[in-house]
Amino acid sequence: MKKMYFLACLALLLNACNDENPSQQTQMGVQDVEAVRVSPENIPLSFEYAARAQGSKETEVRARVGGILLKRNYTEGSRVEEGTVLFQIDPEPFKVTLNQAKAKLAQTKAQLQAAESQWKRIEKLFVQKVVSEKSRDDAKANLDALRASAQLAQAEVDSAQLNLDYTTVKAPISGVTSLEAQSEGSLIAVNGLLTNITQLDPIYVIFSATENEIASLTDMVDRGLVLTPNSKKDIRAKLKLGNDSFYPEEGEINFITPNIDESTGTVKLRAVFPNAEGRLRPGQFLRLVMEGLVRKDALVLPQSAVMQNPSGSYVYRVDKEGKVESVMVKTGLSTPNGDWIIDEGLKPGDVVLTSGLLKLRPGMPVNPVLAPATK
């Protein structure tokens, strides 16, 4: 009986304590949680793509006449300037052909000169009615035929001279040579490959963006969410090398294909970079970073603040009563330091919780501890 009385008194005492300090218990149930207050700011955007270097010009050097390859005048793999003599094909047969063509031309010119003199005599005699009309016509026809023969003979001389010139093979562009395709002493066929030349300065870097990325960026521009640059030169391109260091020269985007690759769903783009020292080589794998676009009035959250559920992305926001509420959001691009840009779901001034989120539930009272504002 005494034991029951003691328990009843203890219960009354505890109830009395609770009635006397209700606010103290509520205060003990509220926990401090790190939070940020979102405010609009202009965020520089950065896009990174897998890329590959490619020579700005890649030319096959081919023999335009056939013959014996007498000499190679360059070191394989070296840089050559446009017009540099690379190969010498045996010119002697072509010199003979040229001399024959010149002799034929001289012979035809002599015949033409005689025909012109004869035509002048015949024409005077015809006026005097000494010769017949047929003789006049024959002289004129002979003169016209020899004039045509002279033109043909001159064309043969030009062709023979051109072929002789082709025996000296020169570099069509400046660049770096490859291995020779034919060794000295080989019999070269007409149009036979001799070597390749690749122009490295400037150098092209090819990369691809997905159809969705292009569509998303275009949509943001149409909605006024992206500040458009004044010119294409404001869109800068940087290269990240294999060791994560950056190439010292900046480039610019100079070409975008008008169509989408059906097999990959991507759009191919090209950037051009100075490469005077030849540090970049065709076929080299790189990472291209595109900068210069600015996201206007962006609301930014750290990645830790954004959670996922089957319906999509959501955050915990503090409502007017200081309680947790779950808000669905739509994330957009990310900032250069990895934070999320929130396209939909929040408004300026909202307080969003950023830590200890797994311990929180909607409706719980919290005390948001705001992080200092950064720009």
Side-chain angles (χ1 to χ4, degrees), residues 39 105 211 237 345:
S39 59
L105 176 61
E211 179 182 1

Side-chain angles (χ1 to χ4, degrees), residues 67-249:
I68 300 298
L69 182 62
L70 296 181
K71 189 176 181 181
R72 169 171 55 83
N73 297 310
Y74 71 95
T75 302
E76 295 168 303
S78 64
R79 177 179 175 80
V80 296
E81 298 299 325
E82 181 179 352
T84 301
V85 176
L86 302 179
F87 298 94
Q88 181 64 59
I89 297 173
D90 184 9
E92 295 305 321
F94 300 95
K95 288 180 180 179
V96 172
T97 302
L98 177 59
N99 290 334
Q100 290 174 341
K102 286 181 177 179
K104 183 178 180 181
L105 176 61
Q107 183 182 39
T108 304
K109 284 183 175 180
Q111 293 172 348
L112 176 59
Q113 187 176 3
E116 288 175 342
S117 299
Q118 183 181 11
W119 164 248
K120 291 177 182 178
R121 289 193 301 270
I122 293 293
E123 191 174 26
K124 289 180 181 179
L125 293 174
F126 178 75
V127 172
Q128 297 171 2
K129 296 184 179 181
V130 175
V131 298
S132 66
E133 184 177 352
K134 182 179 182 304
S135 298
R136 175 185 177 277
D137 292 344
D138 288 344
K140 184 65 169 65
N142 184 54
L143 176 61
D144 291 341
L146 286 172
R147 283 175 175 171
S149 296
Q151 290 180 345
L152 178 60
Q154 182 62 59
E156 291 175 350
V157 170
D158 294 341
S159 176
Q161 181 65 61
L162 192 60
N163 286 336
L164 178 59
D165 293 341
Y166 284 158
T167 61
T168 301
V169 182
K170 299 180 180 180
I173 63 171
S174 299
V176 176
T177 58
S178 69
L179 294 173
E180 64 176 5
Q182 300 283 350
S183 60
E184 295 175 348
S186 299
L187 177 61
I188 306 300
V190 177
N191 203 37
L193 178 64
L194 299 175
T195 189
N196 293 279
I197 298 178
T198 302
Q199 183 170 303
L200 300 182
D201 185 27
I203 195 166
Y204 289 155
V205 175
I206 310 299
F207 63 103
S208 297
T210 67
E211 179 182 1
N212 291 337
E213 289 172 334
I214 297 296
S216 176
L217 188 56
T218 302
D219 178 65
M220 286 192 295
V221 171
D222 293 340
R223 292 164 58 191
L225 299 179
V226 173
L227 297 177
T228 55
N230 296 324
S231 70
K232 68 175 185 179
K233 291 186 177 180
D234 293 333
I235 301 179
R236 302 178 304 278
K238 297 181 179 180
L239 287 180
K240 188 183 292 185
L241 305 178
N243 59 358
D244 285 339
S245 64
F246 278 91
Y247 181 65
E249 300 279 359

Side-chain angles (χ1 to χ4, degrees), residues 235-296:
I235 301 179
R236 302 178 304 278
K238 297 181 179 180
L239 287 180
K240 188 183 292 185
L241 305 178
N243 59 358
D244 285 339
S245 64
F246 278 91
Y247 181 65
E249 300 279 359
E250 288 189 353
E252 65 176 72
I253 312 298
N254 70 341
F255 179 75
I256 302 175
T257 54
N259 57 304
I260 296 174
D261 189 321
E262 295 181 359
S263 60
T264 61
T266 59
V267 177
K268 185 174 291 185
L269 299 92
R270 185 181 71 195
V272 58
F273 287 82
N275 190 34
E277 297 181 1
R279 291 183 59 185
L280 302 177
R281 292 280 178 165
Q284 185 175 356
F285 287 99
L286 305 159
R287 300 292 297 180
L288 184 137
V289 180
M290 186 171 66
E291 299 177 346
L293 298 177
V294 176
R295 174 65 161 82
K296 181 182 178 183

Side-chain angles (χ1 to χ4, degrees), residues 316-319 322-326 353 360-366:
Y316 281 158
R317 181 174 60 186
V318 181
D319 63 14
K323 295 181 179 180
V324 176
E325 64 174 338
S326 177
L353 304 176
L360 303 177
R361 295 292 181 270
M364 292 178 59
V366 291

